[in-house]
Amino acid sequence: MQFANLAEEQKLIILAPLFPSGIADRNDNDNYKYIAYRDIRFDLLLLQMIEEAAALYNINVDRFALFGFSGGAHFAHRFFYLHPTRLSAVSIAAPGSVTLMNPDQDWWVGTRNMEELFGCSLNFPAMRQVPAQLLVGNEDTNTQAITHQTGRGKWMPGANGAGTTRIDRLYTLYENWRSHDLNVTIEEIAGVGHSSPPLADPAAKFFTKHMRE
């Protein structure tokens, strides 16, 4: 419901995918966040969902706007790396961990082996055409759920290298994107912790702005 007003005002269709967790491991809640899990490609599943919606409502989905909060923001910024030509705008809100465009580190910390894993490399010209927004609450400082522990979960060398808090990591991502001349802005929302609704309003304003351009 967070984008209901945006949908009404702009005559949009909002698709809110809910990817399953615990597919092979009941304790695993991270599968979709890193795009690929075993033989499942969650980016391709999203594209299939969008094609189904397009057929149902007879709409053009050559490009679409993408928003992700927390785990969804993990997915959204990595989807941006793989499919920039499909996006008209992307808003990334408070991811716990970030993938930097870094040819010296493997996925997911960096992008060195992207082509080996996903069959494509970073398309910088296309990425520079996509307005990108980074959002985080200025009180989103709890690190308990985002600190990678050696040998557990998605840990790999450099897993905590982007910073300690979500704020730190988002600013590291911002500087990384700016260094590659991406069209990116960043905003801290005052008085907000790790909560999606207060970040949805600036995201809706961002999408509205770029729909008019």
Side-chain angles (χ1 to χ4, degrees), residues 16-77:
L18 182 61
F19 295 125
S21 62
I23 296 173
D25 176 357
R26 68 175 61 186
N27 297 314
D28 176 45
N29 297 313
D30 295 327
N31 48 36
Y32 72 97
K33 299 177 186 177
Y34 298 87
I35 301 294
Y37 177 76
R38 300 196 175 190
D39 60 347
I40 302 172
R41 284 280 301 272
F42 288 96
D43 58 328
L44 302 183
L45 286 178
L46 176 61
L47 291 174
Q48 291 171 8
M49 293 176 191
I50 289 172
E51 293 301 330
E52 288 183 16
L56 181 63
Y57 293 102
N58 192 28
I59 56 175
N60 185 315
V61 291
D62 288 344
R63 295 201 306 162
F64 53 90
L66 182 64
F67 170 81
F69 168 75
S70 193
H74 275 250
F75 173 86
H77 84 282

Side-chain angles (χ1 to χ4, degrees), residues 68-78 92-99 134-136 140 146 165-167 169-170 173 194 199:
F69 168 75
S70 193
H74 275 250
F75 173 86
H77 84 282
R78 295 177 181 121
I92 311 298
S97 295
V98 297
T99 295
L134 307 182
L135 295 169
V136 68
D140 194 350
I146 67 169
T165 67
R166 287 183 172 89
I167 299 170
R169 294 177 181 185
L170 204 65
L173 184 66
H194 195 60
L199 304 182

Side-chain angles (χ1 to χ4, degrees), residues 56-135:
L56 181 63
Y57 293 102
N58 192 28
I59 56 175
N60 185 315
V61 291
D62 288 344
R63 295 201 306 162
F64 53 90
L66 182 64
F67 170 81
F69 168 75
S70 193
H74 275 250
F75 173 86
H77 84 282
R78 295 177 181 121
F79 182 95
F80 174 43
Y81 289 166
L82 297 172
H83 305 283
T85 60
R86 297 301 306 272
L87 296 179
S88 58
V90 61
S91 180
I92 311 298
S97 295
V98 297
T99 295
L100 302 180
M101 295 188 291
N102 183 348
D104 297 323
Q105 291 181 296
D106 282 341
W107 188 273
W108 60 267
V109 170
T111 52
R112 175 168 52 195
N113 59 339
M114 253 185 65
E115 189 160 5
E116 175 186 342
L117 293 176
F118 303 110
C120 64
S121 55
L122 293 168
N123 184 343
F124 290 111
M127 295 178 74
R128 291 174 185 133
Q129 297 301 310
V130 181
Q133 177 190 52
L134 307 182
L135 295 169

